[in-house]
Amino acid sequence: MGFNMLTQEKIESLLRNAPEHLKYKERITALDFETPNRYSDRACSIGLTVIEREKITESVEFLINPAEDFDWQCIRVHGINPEDVEDAPTFDVLWPEIEDYFTADLVIAHNAPFDLLVLKRLFKAYGIEHDPVMCAD
């Protein structure tokens, strides 16, 4: 797919710049959402990368049907069009498949305030109960 903005370089930068007590967690998940519009309450893509003992062990990407309109400005940033996601699952359908990624010792993101806000709003929109996610920027 190639929508995941979590490049090896970004992940290495996140780990390099993390506080010492967070760098050496047993299992870290790096998260990256793409959103269809400026409201940050839906997602059209999620990228997840698992880091264990400072090594990337898994990287996955999923398209998500946001069931919302797209802003052209967002399409310009990530290149995902409404047609790309029309057959993709909504977040609530995808959640059981990705939930285990959020049981990591730590979740990191290139733009943690944004990605965590999207995640919290998705949980609320779809009525998903989940423990708070420990996230670092």
Side-chain angles (χ1 to χ4, degrees):
M1 273 185 282
F3 300 122
N4 184 352
M5 301 295 194
L6 288 170
T7 62
Q8 176 75 30
E9 183 179 304
K10 280 186 184 176
I11 291 169
E12 287 172 359
S13 174
L14 285 167
L15 290 173
R16 194 173 38 255
N17 295 321
E20 285 301 313
H21 70 285
L22 297 180
K23 283 184 184 180
Y24 303 105
K25 294 287 187 182
E26 192 71 22
R27 183 169 175 257
I28 298 170
T29 296
L31 161 70
D32 184 39
F33 275 115
E34 300 302 333
T35 58
N37 54 46
R38 65 189 170 279
Y39 303 112
S40 304
D41 61 351
R42 294 292 192 276
C44 56
S45 169
I46 187 171
L48 298 159
T49 299
V50 177
I51 303 134
E52 295 176 295
R53 297 184 182 92
E54 298 184 72
K55 302 254 189 271
I56 294 174
T57 58
E58 184 180 4
S59 192
V60 294
E61 301 173 54
F62 298 94
L63 288 173
I64 302 168
N65 185 334
E68 291 285 335
D69 292 332
F70 279 68
D71 290 344
W72 67 267
Q73 298 95 330
C74 292
I75 293 171
R76 201 163 151 205
V77 168
H78 51 59
I80 302 170
N81 291 290
E83 301 80 33
D84 297 326
V85 299
E86 63 187 19
D87 294 327
T90 54
F91 185 78
D92 59 324
V93 173
L94 179 62
W95 178 246
E97 187 174 342
I98 64 173
E99 183 175 8
D100 283 349
Y101 291 98
F102 294 89
T103 61
D105 296 326
L106 178 67
V107 176
I108 61 173
H110 179 65
N111 187 356
F114 169 78
D115 290 306
L116 197 54
L117 175 67
V118 172
L119 184 62
K120 286 180 180 179
R121 288 181 173 176
L122 285 166
F123 286 160
K124 183 176 180 180
Y126 289 105
I128 296 170
E129 299 280 331
H130 191 269
D131 292 333
V133 174
M134 182 180 174
C135 195
D137 193 13

